[in-house]
Amino acid sequence: MQKKIPQRQCMGCRERKEKRSLIRVVRGTDGSVSLDFGGKAPGRGAYICPNPECLKKAMRSKALDRSLEVTIPQEVYDRLAKEMEAQNG
């Protein structure tokens, strides 16, 4: 029997994808927002594809803000953009 692969929905394109292929943005128990590359940090998580277009869509629709129930600081968006450039470039 094959092991089930966890799926998560991207907040930008709204497509369900393999959890490992997505970047996790987490709101910690203290209310701080950070990127979680290990996928194990405690707190509420939201996922986004490592695609700049998905990030633009998520920023425009404020999907990450709604999902994490907090206003995402601009530094987090900037760091996400840098990580996407590093992965894709």
Side-chain angles (χ1 to χ4, degrees):
M1 190 165 144
Q2 196 172 11
K3 192 174 181 184
K4 190 174 178 186
I5 298 169
Q7 300 273 308
R8 297 292 183 266
Q9 187 177 44
C10 170
M11 292 286 107
C13 63
R14 311 298 289 172
E15 288 180 27
R16 292 186 74 75
K17 298 188 178 180
E18 207 174 300
K19 183 179 170 183
R20 285 187 178 184
S21 68
L22 300 171
I23 299 172
R24 183 172 187 242
V25 182
V26 65
R27 182 194 74 206
T29 52
D30 60 351
S32 64
V33 178
S34 60
L35 302 183
D36 174 25
F37 297 101
K40 302 278 189 210
R44 183 171 181 83
Y47 295 82
I48 189 159
C49 296
N51 178 345
E53 286 302 312
C54 286
L55 180 60
K56 285 179 190 167
K57 285 181 189 175
M59 286 173 69
R60 209 171 26 241
S61 67
K62 296 202 180 291
L64 287 170
D65 298 51
R66 279 196 313 274
S67 179
L68 297 177
E69 299 166 352
V70 68
T71 302
I72 307 290
Q74 186 59 44
E75 306 91 69
V76 174
Y77 285 127
D78 294 343
R79 182 149 178 243
L80 265 169
K82 279 185 187 150
E83 288 297 331
M84 288 177 185
E85 277 179 35
Q87 284 186 11
N88 296 329

